[in-house]
Amino acid sequence: MKKMKRNERIGAIVKVLSDKPNAIFTLSYFTELFNSAKSTISEDIAIVKSIMEELNLGKVETISGAAGGVKFIPVLNKEKKEKLLNNLVSELSDLNRIVPGGFLYIADILCNPRYIKEVGEVFAEKYSHSGVDYVMTVETKGIPLATLTAERLNVPLVIARNENKISEGSKLSINYVSGSTGKVQTMYVAKKAIPNGSNVLIVDDFMRAGGTIKGMEEIVKELNSKVVGACVLMETKTPEIKMYKNYMSILFLEGIINGKIIIHPNEDILK
Amino acid sequence: MKKMKRNERIGAIVKVLSDKPNAIFTLSYFTELFNSAKSTISEDIAIVKSIMEELNLGKVETISGAAGGVKFIPVLNKEKKEKLLNNLVSELSDLNRIVPGGFLYIADILCNPRYIKEVGEVFAEKYSHSGVDYVMTVETKGIPLATLTAERLNVPLVIARNENKISEGSKLSINYVSGSTGKVQTMYVAKKAIPNGSNVLIVDDFMRAGGTIKGMEEIVKELNSKVVGACVLMETKTPEIKMYKNYMSILFLEGIINGKIIIHPNEDILK
């Protein structure tokens, strides 16, 4: 390959880093890719770092030592976060979303990358330095959001199932009370899905009392691993005391009051 | 904001475009972002285009007309595709994957963004000019792959459910024969999930006879919409005649023969 100009190297470095957030790339990776000296690449990376900071596009971190290199940490800037919160609140407050039985139809939002990619980015930013090994969710509606969070953190996803599927080998199961149905349900996780000593981040779409998240935490403990925290798109105002405490949510659903859907954004994420 | 250098603009343009593939950005979007003249931005974009082509990082397309602008189309280069195929075949041929009952444990691969993000990119590349409005899958195991395909195509995902959930309003349902269980199952899709006249791309993890995909096609037809094609990670060699024809797969599972798992990659995707 012919020698590249700085312009071209910069563009390519941005592409490589932002395509694989939270993955470490060594300096040698780039010196080989561009057939350039280490000093040249170091300068390139310094420029990429300042572009990202200046335009609030994310953070480029340098990791020193033998396993060192650079990695990109996605950061959604304040302006984008505000826009995301506003869009979510106005979309979800639409009265057409109330379906027979008084439920709120949110499946489309939970399946739309235009929203949940950025929500996943907010989750990933908060947990980018927590040594997360796995993102975990329970089927079904939270899976797309959990997938995009796992992608941003560059770790695998684990899906707890509500049925004992024969194609997944030996399982751990646990009974829990689901807040949405009020019934005792069972969730199953393949034993080989989470190795001993893993750090697990739980991601789910909706949280009422937190029984489902508590159930996932119990499974994780049984697998000799640890939950570092939980992230949910929306929590209900009641019950105020949740069964799992260490969580963040993006939206608070107060309820459907006098024919209006009352949702508040979590302003803390703007800080 | 202070005037940016070309280096910096190039880096930022690459970031913006590759973060939202298949979305159209107008020239004005960038002239405002950088406070620069149209002619300057046009030159920047030409450079970004050539970087992407030279390094096989994707395609930047210019769309002319009133709704015109530029968009980024992810393309996985041949080298990366070969590596992906080799990695998938060697991972999935591991004998430790055989679980009691003779099933192949593949849930971890289906949940690992390190593999399925690139698989989704292969699917999105093939269908980037097909006017896809929705990606559709059926719960559960194919959801992460379908999510990442939808993200790359910048369209929403629709998940067909195996149970009639009360929280999603009125539904269309259809009975189909699942190849993995051999039983008649029912799938449900919220009527409001797919508007009339939509183009739908089906994504699933595994295909035996294609009954599940055929079922999804019937639902899409009932919603006065059209399936433009189907993409699956793995198909089985038998039965050779599939109920749905217009599909692509990444891997062929010949079977577990003499204690060995025989999987072939689909070499066609390298062309």
Side-chain angles (χ1 to χ4, degrees), chain B residues 23-74:
Chain B
I24 297 173
F25 291 89
T26 61
L27 228 55
S28 324
Y29 175 86
F30 292 111
T31 57
E32 280 162 33
L33 187 61
F34 303 132
N35 186 24
S36 298
K38 279 208 172 185
S39 55
T40 313
I41 299 295
S42 293
E43 282 171 43
D44 293 345
I45 288 171
I47 296 170
V48 169
K49 213 166 179 161
S50 75
I51 295 173
M52 295 291 190
E53 274 165 31
E54 194 132 341
L55 282 168
N56 284 312
L57 295 171
K59 270 186 226 157
V60 175
E61 286 190 359
T62 311
I63 295 105
S64 51
V70 283
K71 70 171 177 177
F72 172 70
I73 297 177

Side-chain angles (χ1 to χ4, degrees), chain B residues 92 142 248-249 254:
Chain B
L92 292 171
M248 76 178 288
S249 66
E254 207 168 307

Side-chain angles (χ1 to χ4, degrees), chain B residues 235-246:
Chain B
E235 64 172 296
T236 52
K237 208 189 161 195
T238 53
E240 269 182 43
I241 294 168
K242 310 292 190 192
M243 294 165 74
Y244 183 82
K245 312 283 179 195
N246 183 24

Side-chain angles (χ1 to χ4, degrees), chain A residues 1-4 6-12 14-16 18-21 29 33-34 47 50-52 54-55 57-58 72 80 96-100 103-108 111-114 116-117 121 133 139-141 143-145 147-148 150-159 161-163 165-170 185 190 192-193, chain B residues 1-4 6-12 14-16 18-21 29 33-34 47 50-52 54-55 57-58 72 80 96-100 103-108 111-114 116-117 121 133 139-141 143-145 147-148 150-159 161-163 165-170 185 190 192-193:
Chain A
M1 191 169 56
K2 74 175 204 300
K3 269 273 199 249
M4 294 176 78
R6 168 144 287 158
N7 273 344
E8 299 173 321
R9 289 194 310 267
I10 300 266
V14 169
K15 178 75 171 65
V16 168
S18 61
D19 266 2
K20 228 178 175 178
Y29 176 87
L33 187 62
F34 302 132
I47 296 170
S50 75
I51 295 173
M52 295 291 190
E54 193 131 343
L55 283 168
L57 294 171
F72 172 70
K80 282 192 181 166
N96 292 319
R97 293 194 166 274
I98 303 177
V99 297
F103 292 95
L104 199 59
Y105 177 74
I106 62 168
D108 59 331
C111 283
N112 194 335
R114 285 169 214 172
I116 55 172
K117 190 180 177 182
E121 210 151 281
D133 299 305
E139 61 182 342
T140 297
K141 287 198 291 190
I143 300 176
L145 175 55
T147 300
L148 292 171
E151 189 275 321
R152 296 282 92 183
L153 284 168
N154 194 36
V155 300
L157 173 71
V158 172
I159 302 173
R161 308 292 301 260
N162 283 320
E163 275 176 85
K165 294 286 172 181
I166 45 174
S167 59
E168 293 185 16
S170 62
Q185 293 192 297
K192 56 169 99 181
Chain B
M1 191 169 55
K2 75 175 206 297
K3 270 274 200 249
M4 295 177 77
R6 167 144 287 157
N7 273 344
E8 298 173 323
R9 291 194 309 268
I10 300 265
V14 169
K15 178 75 170 63
V16 168
S18 61
D19 266 3
K20 227 178 175 179
Y29 175 86
L33 187 61
F34 303 132
I47 296 170
S50 75
I51 295 173
M52 295 291 190
E54 194 132 341
L55 282 168
L57 295 171
F72 172 70
K80 282 193 180 163
N96 291 319
R97 293 193 166 274
I98 303 177
V99 296
F103 292 95
L104 200 58
Y105 177 74
I106 62 169
D108 59 331
C111 282
N112 194 333
R114 287 169 213 171
I116 56 172
K117 190 180 178 184
E121 209 151 281
D133 299 304
E139 61 182 343
T140 299
K141 286 197 292 189
I143 299 176
L145 175 55
T147 299
L148 293 171
E151 188 275 322
R152 296 282 91 183
L153 284 167
N154 193 36
V155 300
L157 173 70
V158 172
I159 301 173
R161 307 292 302 260
N162 283 321
E163 274 177 85
K165 295 286 172 182
I166 45 174
S167 60
E168 293 185 15
S170 63
Q185 293 193 295
K192 55 170 100 182

Side-chain angles (χ1 to χ4, degrees), chain B residues 246-260:
Chain B
N246 183 24
Y247 70 94
M248 76 178 288
S249 66
I250 302 289
L251 303 167
F252 301 103
L253 175 64
E254 207 168 307
I256 303 174
I257 299 162
N258 297 331
K260 272 191 172 171

Side-chain angles (χ1 to χ4, degrees), chain A residues 188-207:
Chain A
Y188 303 84
V189 172
K191 275 190 187 164
K192 56 169 99 181
I194 301 176
N196 283 348
S198 299
N199 289 325
V200 177
L201 174 65
I202 292 173
V203 173
D204 210 353
D205 54 328
F206 202 81
M207 175 174 175

